[in-house]
Amino acid sequence: MAGVFSLILKRIGSAALILFLVSLIVFAISSLLPGDAASEMLGQSATPEAVAALRAQLGLNEPAHLRYLHWLVGLLTGNPGHSLANNMPVAALIAGRLPKSLILAAFAAGVSAPMAVSLGIAAAVKPGSALDRALSLTALSMVAVPEFLVATLGVLAFAVKLQWLPSITLIPEHPTIWQFVRGYILPVMTLSFVVTAQMARMTRAAVIDQLRQPYSEMARLKGLGPARVVIAHALPNAAGPIANAVALSLSYLLGGAIIVETIFNYPGVASLMVDAVTSRDMPLLQTCAMIFCAGYLLLVLAADICAILANPRLRRG
Amino acid sequence: MDGAPPFTRRQTLAAAGLLAVSGVGLASCDQRSPTPAPKGTIMEGGGPPRRGGRVRVACLASSTADTLDPAKGGLSTDYVRHYMVYSGLTQFDERLRPQLGLAESIESADRTTWTIRLRKGVEFHDGSSLSADDVVFSLLRHKDPAVGSKVKTVADQIAEARATGPLEVEVRLTGPNADLPSILATSHFLIVKRDADFRHGNGCGPFRCSVFSPGVRTIVTRNPNYWKAGRPYLDEVELVGIPDEVSRVNALLSGDVQLINSVNPRSTRRIEATGRHGLLETHSGLYTDLIMRLDRLPTGRPEFTQAMKLLFDRELIRKALFRGHATVANDQPLPPSHPYYFPGLPQRPYDPEQARFLLKRGGLLDVRLPVYASPAAEGSVDMASILQEAAAAVGLRLAVNRVPSDGYWSNHWMKHPLTFGNSNPRPTADLMFSLFFKSDAPWNESGWKDPRFDQLLLAARGEADEAKRRQMYADMQVMVHNSAGVAIPVFIGSLDGFDKRLRGLRSIPIGGLMGYSFAEHVWWEA
């Protein structure tokens, strides 16, 4: 178990460094964008004097490095500042959106991960069989279809034609369970469509790889059934790569759901970040970037821990 | 405007008095016929308005920059929200004439000093009474640069505003302007509570703001103490933004929302096919124009600007780009629906031969020029392509540079010799000309300078004789048409899609959704 703890400690240290570097890079790159919050806010009506006045009011006249330092100090003390676009606390804006993104990601993960892993294993048991080929074909075509197409077709069929499901996800303040579930079916379906296929392919590859190892052959020679070989012997060793594949797909669910958020008008963090870029809202943009980065690091760490716990050889290390 | 309280003799007199002094009709008698349905709007089944119901409305854009501060409103969602929560001193009718709102009378003898008397007994949503101080605060805050008001340049015309009684405000302008009642009807000048903090949207409007979540939704509930007796009809309105046009139309067709704005002409067939949904076209003064900087070459050459104006196939743009939901324009900014539109100005034709002749005479035939277009200026990318082809046919080589919306206004608009611009309808001819064509206007897009135009503009503001004023605006339209460096091919119609159970929608040609103020006029016929 000591291995796990030292790994966690090391990861936390490197995560802090990575987050710092990412915040620097995001700040540097976003300051290369043309215009700033003041000129974007005024848009077409940006006269030089109006921009200057607004810039002064928003504190944009400070040198860039000072603005960065203020933000960093604020973040470390738990106050990521105020949004430049609407003067609301960044923390409040994110508090309204992050749970929504997490719920969507959790639902999509809850649907897709078990499905993907079982499909992947089923396909791996007999590589080249009819089942395997059918599953592979389906998975590859699912990966190939862009999610905006899946979403649009889903909306046209289930919302516009059949009117079973809403076309946009507007969950009221106090939803009933049915409203809640109805609202999520289409977005979750769309997201699952893409990530399931990816995860299933990776799982299949990992399991097949293990089944080709001598120890699997030994197990089969001992006379164990295919189910036993896969579940008791191959799977624990394949757990590492599978967990990594799942973690990568899940991190995509958090930050990469922008297309699904746009089509279903779902108020998640990804669209909040896009808003922040267009309105040059640096405090908000930086904080969103930190959240995505931290989420990603956390998922990768979780995947590594899973791999260690599942594999006795690594556990001892 | 049916259902408004009966006008007292005093109000009518006040209105008539205004009519006499300024020529601006603040009369109120013609607005009380039940639910007028002017042509061009869709009304099915009569029936009196009924109370109750809730509707969900989806606008084009909504982001974290959404605001409850009328001064900062920049998008249709903001205007709609502000008209639901706040009331103005005046409000527009279907012919874009200002009618009295919170003001009981607006009078001026010289069009420079105005006396505004407020309606008695109007309450803000928090229960406090509307007073002259609130109005003074609401008007003067636009002048403070720190507020970041979108109409600061307009408000700078207000030299002074002070309370001369508990319900009386005197406004002194820097110079005469007969259009003050119209200016006061725009959403930015809606009346807010003195020292308001804009977190809850405390106004005197038809609805109270119950949920405001920027970029997500606004929910408003009926204000039972609204100053117009019997209004509004709806119990609740939920306003959301759906930026993606296809999603917006899908939401309407699937019944998730009952009203949407900014429908792409390509979607009209889908909406009409259901039989349960209708379209409302508003012929406003929205346009996308080609800007030729007169202080640069070769765009500053008169032969060039004339030739470019002749190279626009306006009919093709109207039909192919906007599927007929546009009106051919004539290189001047007032649409045919405008009270001061000058019908005597001959329509400039599509004439490539004449354009070639002009370009040849100017020695401009082998010039290669980039033209900047962007989705930020509606339709400009397609217009640029059409123009490019017409120009190529006469030997002028245009390269279309399509640039992203993001940052277009600050980095490209007016910054190159040839760019596209886009202008929202403004309520008055004066605003349109002052903002976009006056020599020293910040958005004088082409850098056109004509002292005679500036003199006319100032004179028209103070002109008491209506016929003379009309002639002045006609002259200005001719001047812009002939010599300014902008080509305005069409006025773009604004399309709203609605569920036919939503009744009472008409068009107020300042913008879609009844000039953004549909909420207090419509009812739900379940």
PDB file of all heavy atoms in Angstrom, chain B residues 313-345:
ATOM      1  N   ASP B 313     -26.060  43.201 -57.040  1.00  0.00           N
ATOM      2  CA  ASP B 313     -27.305  42.695 -57.610  1.00  0.00           C
ATOM      3  C   ASP B 313     -28.272  42.515 -56.443  1.00  0.00           C
ATOM      4  O   ASP B 313     -28.366  41.457 -55.834  1.00  0.00           O
ATOM      5  CB  ASP B 313     -27.053  41.367 -58.339  1.00  0.00           C
ATOM      6  CG  ASP B 313     -28.274  40.910 -59.110  1.00  0.00           C
ATOM      7  OD1 ASP B 313     -29.370  41.447 -58.843  1.00  0.00           O
ATOM      8  OD2 ASP B 313     -28.135  40.025 -59.963  1.00  0.00           O
ATOM      9  N   ARG B 314     -28.980  43.586 -56.137  1.00  0.00           N
ATOM     10  CA  ARG B 314     -29.790  43.616 -54.909  1.00  0.00           C
ATOM     11  C   ARG B 314     -30.927  42.601 -54.932  1.00  0.00           C
ATOM     12  O   ARG B 314     -31.254  41.978 -53.926  1.00  0.00           O
ATOM     13  CB  ARG B 314     -30.352  45.032 -54.712  1.00  0.00           C
ATOM     14  CG  ARG B 314     -29.241  46.027 -54.466  1.00  0.00           C
ATOM     15  CD  ARG B 314     -29.636  47.462 -54.769  1.00  0.00           C
ATOM     16  NE  ARG B 314     -28.438  48.208 -55.130  1.00  0.00           N
ATOM     17  CZ  ARG B 314     -27.857  49.104 -54.330  1.00  0.00           C
ATOM     18  NH1 ARG B 314     -28.381  49.405 -53.178  1.00  0.00           N
ATOM     19  NH2 ARG B 314     -26.762  49.707 -54.709  1.00  0.00           N
ATOM     20  N   GLU B 315     -31.518  42.446 -56.105  1.00  0.00           N
ATOM     21  CA  GLU B 315     -32.632  41.508 -56.221  1.00  0.00           C
ATOM     22  C   GLU B 315     -32.148  40.080 -55.948  1.00  0.00           C
ATOM     23  O   GLU B 315     -32.805  39.301 -55.263  1.00  0.00           O
ATOM     24  CB  GLU B 315     -33.237  41.633 -57.628  1.00  0.00           C
ATOM     25  CG  GLU B 315     -34.618  41.048 -57.786  1.00  0.00           C
ATOM     26  CD  GLU B 315     -35.622  41.511 -56.727  1.00  0.00           C
ATOM     27  OE1 GLU B 315     -35.631  42.707 -56.326  1.00  0.00           O
ATOM     28  OE2 GLU B 315     -36.390  40.658 -56.283  1.00  0.00           O
ATOM     29  N   LEU B 316     -30.955  39.767 -56.473  1.00  0.00           N
ATOM     30  CA  LEU B 316     -30.388  38.436 -56.249  1.00  0.00           C
ATOM     31  C   LEU B 316     -30.107  38.216 -54.759  1.00  0.00           C
ATOM     32  O   LEU B 316     -30.394  37.156 -54.205  1.00  0.00           O
ATOM     33  CB  LEU B 316     -29.092  38.291 -57.063  1.00  0.00           C
ATOM     34  CG  LEU B 316     -28.378  36.950 -56.921  1.00  0.00           C
ATOM     35  CD1 LEU B 316     -29.185  35.852 -57.603  1.00  0.00           C
ATOM     36  CD2 LEU B 316     -26.973  37.018 -57.514  1.00  0.00           C
ATOM     37  N   ILE B 317     -29.566  39.242 -54.123  1.00  0.00           N
ATOM     38  CA  ILE B 317     -29.275  39.131 -52.689  1.00  0.00           C
ATOM     39  C   ILE B 317     -30.567  38.924 -51.908  1.00  0.00           C
ATOM     40  O   ILE B 317     -30.657  38.070 -51.029  1.00  0.00           O
ATOM     41  CB  ILE B 317     -28.534  40.395 -52.202  1.00  0.00           C
ATOM     42  CG1 ILE B 317     -27.126  40.421 -52.805  1.00  0.00           C
ATOM     43  CG2 ILE B 317     -28.475  40.443 -50.686  1.00  0.00           C
ATOM     44  CD1 ILE B 317     -26.348  41.662 -52.498  1.00  0.00           C
ATOM     45  N   ARG B 318     -31.587  39.677 -52.291  1.00  0.00           N
ATOM     46  CA  ARG B 318     -32.864  39.563 -51.581  1.00  0.00           C
ATOM     47  C   ARG B 318     -33.447  38.158 -51.735  1.00  0.00           C
ATOM     48  O   ARG B 318     -33.878  37.534 -50.775  1.00  0.00           O
ATOM     49  CB  ARG B 318     -33.847  40.593 -52.148  1.00  0.00           C
ATOM     50  CG  ARG B 318     -35.156  40.709 -51.378  1.00  0.00           C
ATOM     51  CD  ARG B 318     -36.072  41.738 -52.024  1.00  0.00           C
ATOM     52  NE  ARG B 318     -36.722  41.190 -53.205  1.00  0.00           N
ATOM     53  CZ  ARG B 318     -37.854  40.503 -53.157  1.00  0.00           C
ATOM     54  NH1 ARG B 318     -38.442  40.277 -52.002  1.00  0.00           N
ATOM     55  NH2 ARG B 318     -38.393  40.027 -54.262  1.00  0.00           N
ATOM     56  N   LYS B 319     -33.396  37.646 -52.984  1.00  0.00           N
ATOM     57  CA  LYS B 319     -34.035  36.363 -53.246  1.00  0.00           C
ATOM     58  C   LYS B 319     -33.198  35.188 -52.801  1.00  0.00           C
ATOM     59  O   LYS B 319     -33.679  34.267 -52.153  1.00  0.00           O
ATOM     60  CB  LYS B 319     -34.321  36.236 -54.747  1.00  0.00           C
ATOM     61  CG  LYS B 319     -35.563  36.963 -55.188  1.00  0.00           C
ATOM     62  CD  LYS B 319     -36.054  36.359 -56.506  1.00  0.00           C
ATOM     63  CE  LYS B 319     -37.142  37.198 -57.121  1.00  0.00           C
ATOM     64  NZ  LYS B 319     -36.853  37.537 -58.502  1.00  0.00           N
ATOM     65  N   ALA B 320     -31.918  35.196 -53.187  1.00  0.00           N
ATOM     66  CA  ALA B 320     -31.100  34.011 -52.964  1.00  0.00           C
ATOM     67  C   ALA B 320     -30.583  33.939 -51.537  1.00  0.00           C
ATOM     68  O   ALA B 320     -30.577  32.884 -50.919  1.00  0.00           O
ATOM     69  CB  ALA B 320     -29.937  34.004 -53.945  1.00  0.00           C
ATOM     70  N   LEU B 321     -30.177  35.080 -51.003  1.00  0.00           N
ATOM     71  CA  LEU B 321     -29.577  35.055 -49.670  1.00  0.00           C
ATOM     72  C   LEU B 321     -30.641  35.017 -48.576  1.00  0.00           C
ATOM     73  O   LEU B 321     -30.512  34.323 -47.587  1.00  0.00           O
ATOM     74  CB  LEU B 321     -28.733  36.316 -49.494  1.00  0.00           C
ATOM     75  CG  LEU B 321     -27.263  36.090 -49.254  1.00  0.00           C
ATOM     76  CD1 LEU B 321     -26.684  35.415 -50.465  1.00  0.00           C
ATOM     77  CD2 LEU B 321     -26.582  37.403 -48.987  1.00  0.00           C
ATOM     78  N   PHE B 322     -31.676  35.802 -48.776  1.00  0.00           N
ATOM     79  CA  PHE B 322     -32.660  35.953 -47.710  1.00  0.00           C
ATOM     80  C   PHE B 322     -34.016  35.343 -48.072  1.00  0.00           C
ATOM     81  O   PHE B 322     -34.988  35.547 -47.362  1.00  0.00           O
ATOM     82  CB  PHE B 322     -32.803  37.435 -47.335  1.00  0.00           C
ATOM     83  CG  PHE B 322     -31.517  38.017 -46.816  1.00  0.00           C
ATOM     84  CD1 PHE B 322     -30.727  38.830 -47.603  1.00  0.00           C
ATOM     85  CD2 PHE B 322     -31.068  37.704 -45.542  1.00  0.00           C
ATOM     86  CE1 PHE B 322     -29.528  39.337 -47.133  1.00  0.00           C
ATOM     87  CE2 PHE B 322     -29.875  38.197 -45.060  1.00  0.00           C
ATOM     88  CZ  PHE B 322     -29.096  39.017 -45.860  1.00  0.00           C
ATOM     89  N   ARG B 323     -34.053  34.603 -49.174  1.00  0.00           N
ATOM     90  CA  ARG B 323     -35.282  33.939 -49.613  1.00  0.00           C
ATOM     91  C   ARG B 323     -36.480  34.864 -49.585  1.00  0.00           C
ATOM     92  O   ARG B 323     -37.568  34.494 -49.137  1.00  0.00           O
ATOM     93  CB  ARG B 323     -35.567  32.715 -48.743  1.00  0.00           C
ATOM     94  CG  ARG B 323     -34.352  31.842 -48.619  1.00  0.00           C
ATOM     95  CD  ARG B 323     -34.631  30.414 -48.875  1.00  0.00           C
ATOM     96  NE  ARG B 323     -33.355  29.738 -49.072  1.00  0.00           N
ATOM     97  CZ  ARG B 323     -33.226  28.438 -49.161  1.00  0.00           C
ATOM     98  NH1 ARG B 323     -34.270  27.682 -49.091  1.00  0.00           N
ATOM     99  NH2 ARG B 323     -32.041  27.900 -49.347  1.00  0.00           N
ATOM    100  N   GLY B 324     -36.267  36.071 -50.011  1.00  0.00           N
ATOM    101  CA  GLY B 324     -37.371  37.017 -50.089  1.00  0.00           C
ATOM    102  C   GLY B 324     -37.656  37.759 -48.789  1.00  0.00           C
ATOM    103  O   GLY B 324     -38.437  38.697 -48.783  1.00  0.00           O
ATOM    104  N   HIS B 325     -37.032  37.352 -47.675  1.00  0.00           N
ATOM    105  CA  HIS B 325     -37.307  38.024 -46.401  1.00  0.00           C
ATOM    106  C   HIS B 325     -36.360  39.207 -46.214  1.00  0.00           C
ATOM    107  O   HIS B 325     -35.608  39.277 -45.248  1.00  0.00           O
ATOM    108  CB  HIS B 325     -37.197  37.049 -45.240  1.00  0.00           C
ATOM    109  CG  HIS B 325     -38.191  35.934 -45.328  1.00  0.00           C
ATOM    110  ND1 HIS B 325     -39.531  36.115 -45.094  1.00  0.00           N
ATOM    111  CD2 HIS B 325     -38.050  34.643 -45.674  1.00  0.00           C
ATOM    112  CE1 HIS B 325     -40.169  34.977 -45.272  1.00  0.00           C
ATOM    113  NE2 HIS B 325     -39.292  34.063 -45.625  1.00  0.00           N
ATOM    114  N   ALA B 326     -36.381  40.108 -47.173  1.00  0.00           N
ATOM    115  CA  ALA B 326     -35.562  41.313 -47.122  1.00  0.00           C
ATOM    116  C   ALA B 326     -36.195  42.320 -48.065  1.00  0.00           C
ATOM    117  O   ALA B 326     -37.060  41.966 -48.869  1.00  0.00           O
ATOM    118  CB  ALA B 326     -34.134  41.001 -47.552  1.00  0.00           C
ATOM    119  N   THR B 327     -35.796  43.587 -47.950  1.00  0.00           N
ATOM    120  CA  THR B 327     -36.341  44.639 -48.799  1.00  0.00           C
ATOM    121  C   THR B 327     -35.155  45.275 -49.521  1.00  0.00           C
ATOM    122  O   THR B 327     -34.140  45.547 -48.882  1.00  0.00           O
ATOM    123  CB  THR B 327     -37.019  45.719 -47.930  1.00  0.00           C
ATOM    124  OG1 THR B 327     -37.777  45.066 -46.916  1.00  0.00           O
ATOM    125  CG2 THR B 327     -37.921  46.598 -48.742  1.00  0.00           C
ATOM    126  N   VAL B 328     -35.302  45.497 -50.819  1.00  0.00           N
ATOM    127  CA  VAL B 328     -34.194  46.114 -51.554  1.00  0.00           C
ATOM    128  C   VAL B 328     -33.949  47.516 -51.005  1.00  0.00           C
ATOM    129  O   VAL B 328     -34.886  48.279 -50.773  1.00  0.00           O
ATOM    130  CB  VAL B 328     -34.523  46.165 -53.060  1.00  0.00           C
ATOM    131  CG1 VAL B 328     -33.553  47.072 -53.796  1.00  0.00           C
ATOM    132  CG2 VAL B 328     -34.477  44.758 -53.639  1.00  0.00           C
ATOM    133  N   ALA B 329     -32.688  47.843 -50.781  1.00  0.00           N
ATOM    134  CA  ALA B 329     -32.338  49.142 -50.212  1.00  0.00           C
ATOM    135  C   ALA B 329     -31.609  49.981 -51.255  1.00  0.00           C
ATOM    136  O   ALA B 329     -31.241  49.482 -52.321  1.00  0.00           O
ATOM    137  CB  ALA B 329     -31.467  48.954 -48.973  1.00  0.00           C
ATOM    138  N   ASN B 330     -31.415  51.222 -50.915  1.00  0.00           N
ATOM    139  CA  ASN B 330     -30.955  52.180 -51.918  1.00  0.00           C
ATOM    140  C   ASN B 330     -29.765  52.995 -51.405  1.00  0.00           C
ATOM    141  O   ASN B 330     -29.728  54.204 -51.571  1.00  0.00           O
ATOM    142  CB  ASN B 330     -32.142  53.075 -52.290  1.00  0.00           C
ATOM    143  CG  ASN B 330     -31.952  53.772 -53.609  1.00  0.00           C
ATOM    144  OD1 ASN B 330     -31.030  53.455 -54.354  1.00  0.00           O
ATOM    145  ND2 ASN B 330     -32.814  54.735 -53.897  1.00  0.00           N
ATOM    146  N   ASP B 331     -28.846  52.338 -50.739  1.00  0.00           N
ATOM    147  CA  ASP B 331     -27.610  52.981 -50.280  1.00  0.00           C
ATOM    148  C   ASP B 331     -27.849  54.167 -49.356  1.00  0.00           C
ATOM    149  O   ASP B 331     -27.052  55.100 -49.304  1.00  0.00           O
ATOM    150  CB  ASP B 331     -26.741  53.413 -51.470  1.00  0.00           C
ATOM    151  CG  ASP B 331     -26.389  52.233 -52.349  1.00  0.00           C
ATOM    152  OD1 ASP B 331     -26.184  51.150 -51.789  1.00  0.00           O
ATOM    153  OD2 ASP B 331     -26.341  52.389 -53.586  1.00  0.00           O
ATOM    154  N   GLN B 332     -28.941  54.158 -48.644  1.00  0.00           N
ATOM    155  CA  GLN B 332     -29.164  55.129 -47.564  1.00  0.00           C
ATOM    156  C   GLN B 332     -29.883  54.362 -46.453  1.00  0.00           C
ATOM    157  O   GLN B 332     -30.544  53.362 -46.718  1.00  0.00           O
ATOM    158  CB  GLN B 332     -29.919  56.362 -48.070  1.00  0.00           C
ATOM    159  CG  GLN B 332     -31.302  56.128 -48.637  1.00  0.00           C
ATOM    160  CD  GLN B 332     -32.342  55.957 -47.563  1.00  0.00           C
ATOM    161  OE1 GLN B 332     -32.140  56.377 -46.438  1.00  0.00           O
ATOM    162  NE2 GLN B 332     -33.440  55.324 -47.913  1.00  0.00           N
ATOM    163  N   PRO B 333     -29.727  54.801 -45.204  1.00  0.00           N
ATOM    164  CA  PRO B 333     -30.062  53.912 -44.075  1.00  0.00           C
ATOM    165  C   PRO B 333     -31.519  53.886 -43.623  1.00  0.00           C
ATOM    166  O   PRO B 333     -31.828  53.153 -42.689  1.00  0.00           O
ATOM    167  CB  PRO B 333     -29.176  54.465 -42.957  1.00  0.00           C
ATOM    168  CG  PRO B 333     -29.051  55.908 -43.268  1.00  0.00           C
ATOM    169  CD  PRO B 333     -29.073  56.038 -44.760  1.00  0.00           C
ATOM    170  N   LEU B 334     -32.418  54.654 -44.225  1.00  0.00           N
ATOM    171  CA  LEU B 334     -33.801  54.630 -43.741  1.00  0.00           C
ATOM    172  C   LEU B 334     -34.638  53.635 -44.552  1.00  0.00           C
ATOM    173  O   LEU B 334     -34.722  53.747 -45.770  1.00  0.00           O
ATOM    174  CB  LEU B 334     -34.433  56.030 -43.824  1.00  0.00           C
ATOM    175  CG  LEU B 334     -33.765  57.133 -43.001  1.00  0.00           C
ATOM    176  CD1 LEU B 334     -34.633  58.383 -43.002  1.00  0.00           C
ATOM    177  CD2 LEU B 334     -33.507  56.691 -41.572  1.00  0.00           C
ATOM    178  N   PRO B 335     -35.280  52.680 -43.891  1.00  0.00           N
ATOM    179  CA  PRO B 335     -36.087  51.681 -44.605  1.00  0.00           C
ATOM    180  C   PRO B 335     -37.422  52.287 -45.039  1.00  0.00           C
ATOM    181  O   PRO B 335     -37.861  53.294 -44.472  1.00  0.00           O
ATOM    182  CB  PRO B 335     -36.306  50.599 -43.552  1.00  0.00           C
ATOM    183  CG  PRO B 335     -36.229  51.316 -42.253  1.00  0.00           C
ATOM    184  CD  PRO B 335     -35.263  52.449 -42.442  1.00  0.00           C
ATOM    185  N   PRO B 336     -38.076  51.681 -46.016  1.00  0.00           N
ATOM    186  CA  PRO B 336     -39.362  52.207 -46.490  1.00  0.00           C
ATOM    187  C   PRO B 336     -40.401  52.343 -45.379  1.00  0.00           C
ATOM    188  O   PRO B 336     -41.317  53.154 -45.494  1.00  0.00           O
ATOM    189  CB  PRO B 336     -39.805  51.173 -47.527  1.00  0.00           C
ATOM    190  CG  PRO B 336     -38.552  50.527 -47.987  1.00  0.00           C
ATOM    191  CD  PRO B 336     -37.618  50.538 -46.820  1.00  0.00           C
ATOM    192  N   SER B 337     -40.264  51.554 -44.294  1.00  0.00           N
ATOM    193  CA  SER B 337     -41.261  51.641 -43.217  1.00  0.00           C
ATOM    194  C   SER B 337     -41.030  52.871 -42.340  1.00  0.00           C
ATOM    195  O   SER B 337     -41.827  53.161 -41.463  1.00  0.00           O
ATOM    196  CB  SER B 337     -41.190  50.385 -42.357  1.00  0.00           C
ATOM    197  OG  SER B 337     -39.909  50.262 -41.756  1.00  0.00           O
ATOM    198  N   HIS B 338     -39.931  53.588 -42.570  1.00  0.00           N
ATOM    199  CA  HIS B 338     -39.596  54.701 -41.682  1.00  0.00           C
ATOM    200  C   HIS B 338     -40.450  55.933 -42.003  1.00  0.00           C
ATOM    201  O   HIS B 338     -40.697  56.232 -43.161  1.00  0.00           O
ATOM    202  CB  HIS B 338     -38.114  55.041 -41.842  1.00  0.00           C
ATOM    203  CG  HIS B 338     -37.595  55.866 -40.716  1.00  0.00           C
ATOM    204  ND1 HIS B 338     -37.809  57.212 -40.657  1.00  0.00           N
ATOM    205  CD2 HIS B 338     -36.914  55.526 -39.598  1.00  0.00           C
ATOM    206  CE1 HIS B 338     -37.258  57.683 -39.543  1.00  0.00           C
ATOM    207  NE2 HIS B 338     -36.711  56.670 -38.887  1.00  0.00           N
ATOM    208  N   PRO B 339     -40.895  56.643 -40.957  1.00  0.00           N
ATOM    209  CA  PRO B 339     -41.744  57.820 -41.207  1.00  0.00           C
ATOM    210  C   PRO B 339     -41.074  58.866 -42.118  1.00  0.00           C
ATOM    211  O   PRO B 339     -41.763  59.569 -42.851  1.00  0.00           O
ATOM    212  CB  PRO B 339     -41.969  58.399 -39.804  1.00  0.00           C
ATOM    213  CG  PRO B 339     -41.653  57.309 -38.846  1.00  0.00           C
ATOM    214  CD  PRO B 339     -40.743  56.348 -39.529  1.00  0.00           C
ATOM    215  N   TYR B 340     -39.755  58.972 -42.076  1.00  0.00           N
ATOM    216  CA  TYR B 340     -39.086  59.991 -42.890  1.00  0.00           C
ATOM    217  C   TYR B 340     -38.465  59.431 -44.161  1.00  0.00           C
ATOM    218  O   TYR B 340     -37.639  60.073 -44.799  1.00  0.00           O
ATOM    219  CB  TYR B 340     -38.010  60.711 -42.062  1.00  0.00           C
ATOM    220  CG  TYR B 340     -38.607  61.650 -41.046  1.00  0.00           C
ATOM    221  CD1 TYR B 340     -38.495  61.398 -39.683  1.00  0.00           C
ATOM    222  CD2 TYR B 340     -39.302  62.785 -41.462  1.00  0.00           C
ATOM    223  CE1 TYR B 340     -39.060  62.248 -38.752  1.00  0.00           C
ATOM    224  CE2 TYR B 340     -39.871  63.634 -40.535  1.00  0.00           C
ATOM    225  CZ  TYR B 340     -39.747  63.369 -39.184  1.00  0.00           C
ATOM    226  OH  TYR B 340     -40.316  64.212 -38.274  1.00  0.00           O
ATOM    227  N   TYR B 341     -38.829  58.209 -44.541  1.00  0.00           N
ATOM    228  CA  TYR B 341     -38.298  57.622 -45.774  1.00  0.00           C
ATOM    229  C   TYR B 341     -38.676  58.499 -46.961  1.00  0.00           C
ATOM    230  O   TYR B 341     -39.810  58.967 -47.066  1.00  0.00           O
ATOM    231  CB  TYR B 341     -38.883  56.214 -45.940  1.00  0.00           C
ATOM    232  CG  TYR B 341     -38.587  55.561 -47.266  1.00  0.00           C
ATOM    233  CD1 TYR B 341     -37.315  55.061 -47.525  1.00  0.00           C
ATOM    234  CD2 TYR B 341     -39.564  55.437 -48.244  1.00  0.00           C
ATOM    235  CE1 TYR B 341     -37.026  54.451 -48.733  1.00  0.00           C
ATOM    236  CE2 TYR B 341     -39.289  54.833 -49.454  1.00  0.00           C
ATOM    237  CZ  TYR B 341     -38.016  54.338 -49.697  1.00  0.00           C
ATOM    238  OH  TYR B 341     -37.730  53.741 -50.892  1.00  0.00           O
ATOM    239  N   PHE B 342     -37.715  58.726 -47.873  1.00  0.00           N
ATOM    240  CA  PHE B 342     -37.973  59.592 -49.022  1.00  0.00           C
ATOM    241  C   PHE B 342     -38.207  58.728 -50.261  1.00  0.00           C
ATOM    242  O   PHE B 342     -37.262  58.193 -50.843  1.00  0.00           O
ATOM    243  CB  PHE B 342     -36.775  60.522 -49.227  1.00  0.00           C
ATOM    244  CG  PHE B 342     -36.873  61.378 -50.457  1.00  0.00           C
ATOM    245  CD1 PHE B 342     -38.029  62.092 -50.738  1.00  0.00           C
ATOM    246  CD2 PHE B 342     -35.797  61.482 -51.328  1.00  0.00           C
ATOM    247  CE1 PHE B 342     -38.111  62.891 -51.873  1.00  0.00           C
ATOM    248  CE2 PHE B 342     -35.882  62.281 -52.469  1.00  0.00           C
ATOM    249  CZ  PHE B 342     -37.036  62.978 -52.736  1.00  0.00           C
ATOM    250  N   PRO B 343     -39.471  58.595 -50.686  1.00  0.00           N
ATOM    251  CA  PRO B 343     -39.766  57.689 -51.807  1.00  0.00           C
ATOM    252  C   PRO B 343     -39.320  58.262 -53.149  1.00  0.00           C
ATOM    253  O   PRO B 343     -39.239  57.537 -54.138  1.00  0.00           O
ATOM    254  CB  PRO B 343     -41.283  57.522 -51.763  1.00  0.00           C
ATOM    255  CG  PRO B 343     -41.790  58.632 -50.907  1.00  0.00           C
ATOM    256  CD  PRO B 343     -40.672  59.215 -50.125  1.00  0.00           C
ATOM    257  N   GLY B 344     -38.987  59.552 -53.188  1.00  0.00           N
ATOM    258  CA  GLY B 344     -38.648  60.170 -54.464  1.00  0.00           C
ATOM    259  C   GLY B 344     -37.250  59.864 -54.967  1.00  0.00           C
ATOM    260  O   GLY B 344     -36.883  60.229 -56.084  1.00  0.00           O
ATOM    261  N   LEU B 345     -36.450  59.197 -54.146  1.00  0.00           N
ATOM    262  CA  LEU B 345     -35.072  58.908 -54.535  1.00  0.00           C
ATOM    263  C   LEU B 345     -35.053  57.704 -55.486  1.00  0.00           C
ATOM    264  O   LEU B 345     -35.484  56.625 -55.119  1.00  0.00           O
ATOM    265  CB  LEU B 345     -34.261  58.602 -53.280  1.00  0.00           C
ATOM    266  CG  LEU B 345     -32.775  58.295 -53.430  1.00  0.00           C
ATOM    267  CD1 LEU B 345     -32.043  59.488 -53.993  1.00  0.00           C
ATOM    268  CD2 LEU B 345     -32.192  57.925 -52.081  1.00  0.00           C
TER     269      LEU B 345
END
